[in-house]
Amino acid sequence: MAELAPGAPGRRPPRIPFYRDVRVLGVLAQIGFVVLFVAAAGWFLSNIADNLDKLGGSQFICRDGTSSFRCFFDFLSLESQFPIAETPIEYDPSDSYARAIGVGLLNTVKVSVLGIFLATVLGTLAGIARLSQNWLLRNLAGWYIDIMRNTPLVLQLFFIYFSVLLVLPPIREAIQLLGGPIYLSQRGINLPSLVFTSSFTTWAAFVVLGIIQAQVLWLLLGRREEKTGKPTNRATWAFLSFLLIAGIGWRVATTYANDQGILVAKAARVRELEDVATLMENRLQVDDLSDVEEMVAGGALTAAAVDEAALSLCVLENAPSEANLTAQLRRANVPYRVERFERPDQATAAYAAGECEVYAADRATLAAERELLEDGAGHFIVPIAATPARLSVPRLEGLNFVGGAKLTPEFSAILIGLVLYTGAFIAEIVRAGILAVPRGQTEAARALGLSETQRLRLVVLPQALRVIIPPMTSQYLNLTKNSSLAQVVAFPDLWTVSYTTLNQSGRAIQVMLIVMGSYLAVSLAISALLNWYNQRIALVER
């Protein structure tokens, strides 16, 4: 019988040895990986157990003095006993280690969120400028990107902190940026900020209602465009409707806000805020307070006389009542000076001693404190109108700025460094995303008569986002992890506070696990948010 050819029908294929079978090799590779993983995990856990044995039972001390593995993290309830320079929440050295680490985590989140936002704006502008037809703009963007990308971040932080921020002029010679209420000095950056009053929640409800109403109007006008084929300028009408609802909410919140007030003596004859201006006019012997500056300049009044006659205020530190009252006094050109106190009883004692003429706070606090005065019936609580938000502007008083927001040199250094460094990488990602859009899209947009701004906003960038978002996620995660370099400029972020906790408590393993878990949680949150957005903008194939 003739032997069948190797490829002829009816002949069995040659049997492949198991060590050459791809399926068998794949299974063996997976088994080998599992074995190596288990061995590595076992070694790691064994090493931890050995180190814990060497450290002794002090690592597991419970509150009752005994030792148990259940008390692995009980040290977090002990007093931290160290100060933290910048605290977004109330903190005292007598607070626990848990609260101290929480303060550090909040500082890290604050730096990361602000850094991500500002780096995105800077990187997007630099990436677009990199493709500009303007020679100077294109090369400036290129030089910025090359310098930032090719120098270590630590070196940049040292340069920004020691060679830029710490060599700024003293606070009395602070640089006023662009002539506005932004001041640069050795103590940091002082800039305006918003102060929210109790009526802000009412206005916020109207703002949410305005956003919902604008979205509904956008959809209705979109359907009308589809039916008629005529444009209706949806963006303008939706924005105007939002402004209308927000404006109505602002008016309503301001009208019904009645929780702010001032405490004054009846002898001052102040029954409403307008009477304060009349009181100061009589005291300075002028017909209109708006003429005081001209009179001082002309010599009719001296600055010392105006300061001596200024209305003295007692307020609580960081209370919205100060920003609310002083904003109205400035509008009425009333000169004033402020004494700030940490507690209401301190302000009440100063008011009772005659150190200030007016005590400004919320009306509930004023009513309670008036009852503690010996002659409480001889004092009025005058209601003061309060808008949902007031702009607090920094002013130099004595040896420091008051009002507004303050960015310390340490916070400014880490924020500026992270923004400049990460912005350079984002710029290249944006540039690559724009170049990834087919040239025909740009030519079609120009053929339709779109301007360069419209071309970028409506045609190029929406398509480039699908290329930009994945690598942008990595840069956001890098910025968050690079924030741990804040230690080189003494900013109390998560790692800096945790390192201090480690040194004081001796709980190295616990602290490291907390730090790793915290960074992991923040990174996963950022990744989840950007992955969700990436799915929203992804092309859907039919």
Side-chain angles (χ1 to χ4, degrees), residues 31 58 62 74 77 86 161 194 205 216 226 238 241 247 249 280 361 372 380 451 460 469 474 476 490-491 500 515 522:
I31 294 174
S58 61
C62 301
D74 274 15
S77 61
E86 296 187 45
Y161 185 61
L194 288 176
V216 172
E226 292 178 357
S241 67
M280 296 305 300
L372 302 177
F380 273 132
S451 64
V460 176
I469 292 299
S474 298
Y476 289 169
F491 177 72
T500 304
V515 172
V522 174

PDB file of all heavy atoms in Angstrom, residues 31 58 62 74 77 86 161 194 205 216 226 238 241 247 249 280 361 372 380 451 460 469 474 476 490-491 500 515 522:
ATOM      1  N   ILE A  31       1.439  29.389  35.047  1.00  0.00           N
ATOM      2  CA  ILE A  31       1.704  28.697  36.314  1.00  0.00           C
ATOM      3  C   ILE A  31       3.011  29.204  36.928  1.00  0.00           C
ATOM      4  O   ILE A  31       3.105  29.442  38.146  1.00  0.00           O
ATOM      5  CB  ILE A  31       1.763  27.172  36.088  1.00  0.00           C
ATOM      6  CG1 ILE A  31       0.380  26.651  35.668  1.00  0.00           C
ATOM      7  CG2 ILE A  31       2.240  26.453  37.347  1.00  0.00           C
ATOM      8  CD1 ILE A  31       0.382  25.178  35.290  1.00  0.00           C
ATOM      9  N   SER A  58       6.092  47.061  70.715  1.00  0.00           N
ATOM     10  CA  SER A  58       5.756  48.488  70.712  1.00  0.00           C
ATOM     11  C   SER A  58       4.979  48.887  69.462  1.00  0.00           C
ATOM     12  O   SER A  58       4.314  49.916  69.440  1.00  0.00           O
ATOM     13  CB  SER A  58       7.037  49.323  70.808  1.00  0.00           C
ATOM     14  OG  SER A  58       7.882  49.071  69.688  1.00  0.00           O
ATOM     15  N   CYS A  62      -1.900  48.677  72.320  1.00  0.00           N
ATOM     16  CA  CYS A  62      -3.304  49.085  72.314  1.00  0.00           C
ATOM     17  C   CYS A  62      -3.508  50.216  73.324  1.00  0.00           C
ATOM     18  O   CYS A  62      -2.624  50.568  74.104  1.00  0.00           O
ATOM     19  CB  CYS A  62      -4.199  47.897  72.664  1.00  0.00           C
ATOM     20  SG  CYS A  62      -4.038  46.495  71.524  1.00  0.00           S
ATOM     21  N   ASP A  74      -3.516  51.740  65.931  1.00  0.00           N
ATOM     22  CA  ASP A  74      -4.031  52.493  67.076  1.00  0.00           C
ATOM     23  C   ASP A  74      -3.197  53.730  67.386  1.00  0.00           C
ATOM     24  O   ASP A  74      -3.678  54.658  68.037  1.00  0.00           O
ATOM     25  CB  ASP A  74      -4.101  51.603  68.316  1.00  0.00           C
ATOM     26  CG  ASP A  74      -5.409  50.822  68.378  1.00  0.00           C
ATOM     27  OD1 ASP A  74      -6.096  50.766  67.336  1.00  0.00           O
ATOM     28  OD2 ASP A  74      -5.731  50.268  69.440  1.00  0.00           O
ATOM     29  N   SER A  77      -4.403  57.508  66.940  1.00  0.00           N
ATOM     30  CA  SER A  77      -5.211  58.275  67.883  1.00  0.00           C
ATOM     31  C   SER A  77      -4.370  59.053  68.893  1.00  0.00           C
ATOM     32  O   SER A  77      -4.908  59.842  69.670  1.00  0.00           O
ATOM     33  CB  SER A  77      -6.172  57.347  68.627  1.00  0.00           C
ATOM     34  OG  SER A  77      -5.446  56.375  69.376  1.00  0.00           O
ATOM     35  N   GLU A  86       0.843  75.050  57.209  1.00  0.00           N
ATOM     36  CA  GLU A  86      -0.346  75.385  56.411  1.00  0.00           C
ATOM     37  C   GLU A  86      -1.394  74.312  56.639  1.00  0.00           C
ATOM     38  O   GLU A  86      -1.157  73.131  56.388  1.00  0.00           O
ATOM     39  CB  GLU A  86       0.014  75.481  54.931  1.00  0.00           C
ATOM     40  CG  GLU A  86       0.990  76.602  54.622  1.00  0.00           C
ATOM     41  CD  GLU A  86       1.200  76.775  53.139  1.00  0.00           C
ATOM     42  OE1 GLU A  86       0.215  76.765  52.391  1.00  0.00           O
ATOM     43  OE2 GLU A  86       2.372  76.918  52.732  1.00  0.00           O
ATOM     44  N   TYR A 161      12.256  78.564  44.436  1.00  0.00           N
ATOM     45  CA  TYR A 161      12.091  78.906  45.856  1.00  0.00           C
ATOM     46  C   TYR A 161      13.204  79.830  46.351  1.00  0.00           C
ATOM     47  O   TYR A 161      12.931  80.891  46.924  1.00  0.00           O
ATOM     48  CB  TYR A 161      12.069  77.615  46.682  1.00  0.00           C
ATOM     49  CG  TYR A 161      11.794  77.835  48.150  1.00  0.00           C
ATOM     50  CD1 TYR A 161      10.606  78.403  48.584  1.00  0.00           C
ATOM     51  CD2 TYR A 161      12.738  77.452  49.103  1.00  0.00           C
ATOM     52  CE1 TYR A 161      10.356  78.598  49.932  1.00  0.00           C
ATOM     53  CE2 TYR A 161      12.493  77.639  50.458  1.00  0.00           C
ATOM     54  CZ  TYR A 161      11.308  78.206  50.864  1.00  0.00           C
ATOM     55  OH  TYR A 161      11.055  78.401  52.192  1.00  0.00           O
ATOM     56  N   LEU A 194     -12.721  85.360  47.223  1.00  0.00           N
ATOM     57  CA  LEU A 194     -14.144  85.485  47.517  1.00  0.00           C
ATOM     58  C   LEU A 194     -14.418  84.995  48.939  1.00  0.00           C
ATOM     59  O   LEU A 194     -13.872  83.979  49.363  1.00  0.00           O
ATOM     60  CB  LEU A 194     -14.978  84.684  46.515  1.00  0.00           C
ATOM     61  CG  LEU A 194     -15.063  85.232  45.094  1.00  0.00           C
ATOM     62  CD1 LEU A 194     -15.847  84.281  44.204  1.00  0.00           C
ATOM     63  CD2 LEU A 194     -15.706  86.615  45.072  1.00  0.00           C
ATOM     64  N   ALA A 205     -28.373  77.488  45.039  1.00  0.00           N
ATOM     65  CA  ALA A 205     -29.529  76.725  44.554  1.00  0.00           C
ATOM     66  C   ALA A 205     -30.059  77.341  43.255  1.00  0.00           C
ATOM     67  O   ALA A 205     -30.428  76.618  42.311  1.00  0.00           O
ATOM     68  CB  ALA A 205     -30.624  76.703  45.616  1.00  0.00           C
ATOM     69  N   VAL A 216     -31.798  72.656  29.397  1.00  0.00           N
ATOM     70  CA  VAL A 216     -33.105  72.372  28.781  1.00  0.00           C
ATOM     71  C   VAL A 216     -33.316  73.269  27.568  1.00  0.00           C
ATOM     72  O   VAL A 216     -33.762  72.812  26.502  1.00  0.00           O
ATOM     73  CB  VAL A 216     -34.230  72.555  29.817  1.00  0.00           C
ATOM     74  CG1 VAL A 216     -35.600  72.468  29.140  1.00  0.00           C
ATOM     75  CG2 VAL A 216     -34.120  71.504  30.909  1.00  0.00           C
ATOM     76  N   GLU A 226     -33.070  71.421  14.184  1.00  0.00           N
ATOM     77  CA  GLU A 226     -33.212  70.230  13.350  1.00  0.00           C
ATOM     78  C   GLU A 226     -34.489  70.281  12.516  1.00  0.00           C
ATOM     79  O   GLU A 226     -34.508  69.819  11.368  1.00  0.00           O
ATOM     80  CB  GLU A 226     -33.225  68.990  14.242  1.00  0.00           C
ATOM     81  CG  GLU A 226     -31.891  68.715  14.935  1.00  0.00           C
ATOM     82  CD  GLU A 226     -31.972  67.510  15.846  1.00  0.00           C
ATOM     83  OE1 GLU A 226     -33.085  66.943  15.977  1.00  0.00           O
ATOM     84  OE2 GLU A 226     -30.942  67.123  16.430  1.00  0.00           O
ATOM     85  N   ALA A 238     -28.763  80.279  25.865  1.00  0.00           N
ATOM     86  CA  ALA A 238     -28.596  79.468  27.072  1.00  0.00           C
ATOM     87  C   ALA A 238     -27.814  80.235  28.138  1.00  0.00           C
ATOM     88  O   ALA A 238     -28.163  80.209  29.333  1.00  0.00           O
ATOM     89  CB  ALA A 238     -27.887  78.161  26.730  1.00  0.00           C
ATOM     90  N   SER A 241     -30.037  83.010  29.606  1.00  0.00           N
ATOM     91  CA  SER A 241     -31.033  82.456  30.534  1.00  0.00           C
ATOM     92  C   SER A 241     -30.396  82.088  31.866  1.00  0.00           C
ATOM     93  O   SER A 241     -30.989  82.288  32.938  1.00  0.00           O
ATOM     94  CB  SER A 241     -31.698  81.231  29.909  1.00  0.00           C
ATOM     95  OG  SER A 241     -30.769  80.168  29.765  1.00  0.00           O
ATOM     96  N   GLY A 247     -29.024  85.977  38.345  1.00  0.00           N
ATOM     97  CA  GLY A 247     -29.251  87.339  38.815  1.00  0.00           C
ATOM     98  C   GLY A 247     -30.457  87.442  39.736  1.00  0.00           C
ATOM     99  O   GLY A 247     -30.422  88.132  40.762  1.00  0.00           O
ATOM    100  N   GLY A 249     -31.596  85.006  41.567  1.00  0.00           N
ATOM    101  CA  GLY A 249     -31.187  84.354  42.801  1.00  0.00           C
ATOM    102  C   GLY A 249     -30.324  85.257  43.665  1.00  0.00           C
ATOM    103  O   GLY A 249     -30.459  85.276  44.896  1.00  0.00           O
ATOM    104  N   MET A 280     -19.394 109.889  60.752  1.00  0.00           N
ATOM    105  CA  MET A 280     -18.033 110.227  60.374  1.00  0.00           C
ATOM    106  C   MET A 280     -17.943 111.614  59.749  1.00  0.00           C
ATOM    107  O   MET A 280     -16.942 112.314  59.936  1.00  0.00           O
ATOM    108  CB  MET A 280     -17.486 109.170  59.402  1.00  0.00           C
ATOM    109  CG  MET A 280     -17.368 107.774  60.005  1.00  0.00           C
ATOM    110  SD  MET A 280     -16.386 107.760  61.528  1.00  0.00           S
ATOM    111  CE  MET A 280     -14.833 108.375  60.929  1.00  0.00           C
ATOM    112  N   ALA A 361     -20.436  90.988  63.583  1.00  0.00           N
ATOM    113  CA  ALA A 361     -20.497  89.522  63.583  1.00  0.00           C
ATOM    114  C   ALA A 361     -21.885  89.130  63.096  1.00  0.00           C
ATOM    115  O   ALA A 361     -22.683  89.984  62.684  1.00  0.00           O
ATOM    116  CB  ALA A 361     -20.212  88.960  64.968  1.00  0.00           C
ATOM    117  N   LEU A 372     -24.179  89.545  77.803  1.00  0.00           N
ATOM    118  CA  LEU A 372     -23.090  89.469  78.774  1.00  0.00           C
ATOM    119  C   LEU A 372     -22.583  90.844  79.190  1.00  0.00           C
ATOM    120  O   LEU A 372     -21.783  90.949  80.129  1.00  0.00           O
ATOM    121  CB  LEU A 372     -21.925  88.649  78.188  1.00  0.00           C
ATOM    122  CG  LEU A 372     -22.273  87.209  77.768  1.00  0.00           C
ATOM    123  CD1 LEU A 372     -21.057  86.541  77.141  1.00  0.00           C
ATOM    124  CD2 LEU A 372     -22.774  86.398  78.958  1.00  0.00           C
ATOM    125  N   PHE A 380     -27.492  98.659  70.582  1.00  0.00           N
ATOM    126  CA  PHE A 380     -28.355  98.232  69.496  1.00  0.00           C
ATOM    127  C   PHE A 380     -27.633  97.202  68.624  1.00  0.00           C
ATOM    128  O   PHE A 380     -26.409  97.256  68.466  1.00  0.00           O
ATOM    129  CB  PHE A 380     -28.737  99.411  68.598  1.00  0.00           C
ATOM    130  CG  PHE A 380     -29.943 100.158  69.073  1.00  0.00           C
ATOM    131  CD1 PHE A 380     -29.918 101.546  69.145  1.00  0.00           C
ATOM    132  CD2 PHE A 380     -31.108  99.499  69.420  1.00  0.00           C
ATOM    133  CE1 PHE A 380     -31.027 102.249  69.569  1.00  0.00           C
ATOM    134  CE2 PHE A 380     -32.220 100.191  69.845  1.00  0.00           C
ATOM    135  CZ  PHE A 380     -32.182 101.579  69.923  1.00  0.00           C
ATOM    136  N   SER A 451     -12.847  81.147  11.236  1.00  0.00           N
ATOM    137  CA  SER A 451     -11.620  81.799  11.661  1.00  0.00           C
ATOM    138  C   SER A 451     -10.694  80.757  12.300  1.00  0.00           C
ATOM    139  O   SER A 451     -11.091  79.619  12.563  1.00  0.00           O
ATOM    140  CB  SER A 451     -11.923  82.912  12.670  1.00  0.00           C
ATOM    141  OG  SER A 451     -12.488  82.371  13.861  1.00  0.00           O
ATOM    142  N   VAL A 460     -10.736  71.174  15.239  1.00  0.00           N
ATOM    143  CA  VAL A 460      -9.477  70.487  15.506  1.00  0.00           C
ATOM    144  C   VAL A 460      -9.430  69.906  16.923  1.00  0.00           C
ATOM    145  O   VAL A 460      -9.208  68.707  17.113  1.00  0.00           O
ATOM    146  CB  VAL A 460      -8.287  71.437  15.264  1.00  0.00           C
ATOM    147  CG1 VAL A 460      -6.977  70.745  15.626  1.00  0.00           C
ATOM    148  CG2 VAL A 460      -8.276  71.884  13.813  1.00  0.00           C
ATOM    149  N   ILE A 469      -6.223  62.680  25.466  1.00  0.00           N
ATOM    150  CA  ILE A 469      -6.646  62.266  26.805  1.00  0.00           C
ATOM    151  C   ILE A 469      -5.815  61.114  27.377  1.00  0.00           C
ATOM    152  O   ILE A 469      -5.374  61.185  28.534  1.00  0.00           O
ATOM    153  CB  ILE A 469      -8.145  61.918  26.818  1.00  0.00           C
ATOM    154  CG1 ILE A 469      -8.971  63.184  26.596  1.00  0.00           C
ATOM    155  CG2 ILE A 469      -8.535  61.268  28.135  1.00  0.00           C
ATOM    156  CD1 ILE A 469      -8.769  64.238  27.647  1.00  0.00           C
ATOM    157  N   SER A 474      -1.574  60.167  32.131  1.00  0.00           N
ATOM    158  CA  SER A 474      -0.268  59.855  32.730  1.00  0.00           C
ATOM    159  C   SER A 474       0.393  61.100  33.302  1.00  0.00           C
ATOM    160  O   SER A 474       1.013  61.058  34.368  1.00  0.00           O
ATOM    161  CB  SER A 474       0.651  59.216  31.681  1.00  0.00           C
ATOM    162  OG  SER A 474       0.107  57.998  31.215  1.00  0.00           O
ATOM    163  N   TYR A 476      -1.152  63.791  34.467  1.00  0.00           N
ATOM    164  CA  TYR A 476      -1.863  64.157  35.689  1.00  0.00           C
ATOM    165  C   TYR A 476      -1.401  63.296  36.863  1.00  0.00           C
ATOM    166  O   TYR A 476      -1.216  63.784  37.980  1.00  0.00           O
ATOM    167  CB  TYR A 476      -3.370  64.001  35.491  1.00  0.00           C
ATOM    168  CG  TYR A 476      -3.987  65.040  34.581  1.00  0.00           C
ATOM    169  CD1 TYR A 476      -5.292  64.903  34.119  1.00  0.00           C
ATOM    170  CD2 TYR A 476      -3.278  66.154  34.172  1.00  0.00           C
ATOM    171  CE1 TYR A 476      -5.869  65.853  33.293  1.00  0.00           C
ATOM    172  CE2 TYR A 476      -3.835  67.102  33.333  1.00  0.00           C
ATOM    173  CZ  TYR A 476      -5.142  66.942  32.894  1.00  0.00           C
ATOM    174  OH  TYR A 476      -5.707  67.884  32.079  1.00  0.00           O
ATOM    175  N   ALA A 490       9.912  72.569  51.923  1.00  0.00           N
ATOM    176  CA  ALA A 490       9.297  72.584  53.264  1.00  0.00           C
ATOM    177  C   ALA A 490       7.799  72.839  53.230  1.00  0.00           C
ATOM    178  O   ALA A 490       7.247  73.397  54.178  1.00  0.00           O
ATOM    179  CB  ALA A 490       9.983  73.630  54.144  1.00  0.00           C
ATOM    180  N   PHE A 491       7.125  72.406  52.162  1.00  0.00           N
ATOM    181  CA  PHE A 491       5.670  72.507  52.147  1.00  0.00           C
ATOM    182  C   PHE A 491       5.090  71.241  52.786  1.00  0.00           C
ATOM    183  O   PHE A 491       5.470  70.126  52.417  1.00  0.00           O
ATOM    184  CB  PHE A 491       5.139  72.655  50.720  1.00  0.00           C
ATOM    185  CG  PHE A 491       3.644  72.702  50.641  1.00  0.00           C
ATOM    186  CD1 PHE A 491       2.947  73.811  51.080  1.00  0.00           C
ATOM    187  CD2 PHE A 491       2.924  71.631  50.126  1.00  0.00           C
ATOM    188  CE1 PHE A 491       1.562  73.852  51.014  1.00  0.00           C
ATOM    189  CE2 PHE A 491       1.549  71.663  50.053  1.00  0.00           C
ATOM    190  CZ  PHE A 491       0.865  72.780  50.495  1.00  0.00           C
ATOM    191  N   THR A 500       7.377  63.098  59.190  1.00  0.00           N
ATOM    192  CA  THR A 500       7.484  63.574  60.572  1.00  0.00           C
ATOM    193  C   THR A 500       6.780  62.616  61.531  1.00  0.00           C
ATOM    194  O   THR A 500       7.276  62.318  62.616  1.00  0.00           O
ATOM    195  CB  THR A 500       6.880  64.982  60.693  1.00  0.00           C
ATOM    196  OG1 THR A 500       7.512  65.859  59.763  1.00  0.00           O
ATOM    197  CG2 THR A 500       7.063  65.535  62.092  1.00  0.00           C
ATOM    198  N   VAL A 515       0.701  56.026  53.391  1.00  0.00           N
ATOM    199  CA  VAL A 515       1.128  56.904  52.298  1.00  0.00           C
ATOM    200  C   VAL A 515       0.864  56.244  50.948  1.00  0.00           C
ATOM    201  O   VAL A 515       0.317  56.870  50.024  1.00  0.00           O
ATOM    202  CB  VAL A 515       2.616  57.269  52.450  1.00  0.00           C
ATOM    203  CG1 VAL A 515       3.119  58.009  51.218  1.00  0.00           C
ATOM    204  CG2 VAL A 515       2.824  58.119  53.700  1.00  0.00           C
ATOM    205  N   VAL A 522      -5.774  58.459  45.361  1.00  0.00           N
ATOM    206  CA  VAL A 522      -5.850  59.687  44.565  1.00  0.00           C
ATOM    207  C   VAL A 522      -5.600  59.381  43.090  1.00  0.00           C
ATOM    208  O   VAL A 522      -6.302  59.886  42.199  1.00  0.00           O
ATOM    209  CB  VAL A 522      -4.842  60.726  45.087  1.00  0.00           C
ATOM    210  CG1 VAL A 522      -4.804  61.943  44.166  1.00  0.00           C
ATOM    211  CG2 VAL A 522      -5.205  61.151  46.502  1.00  0.00           C
TER     212      VAL A 522
END
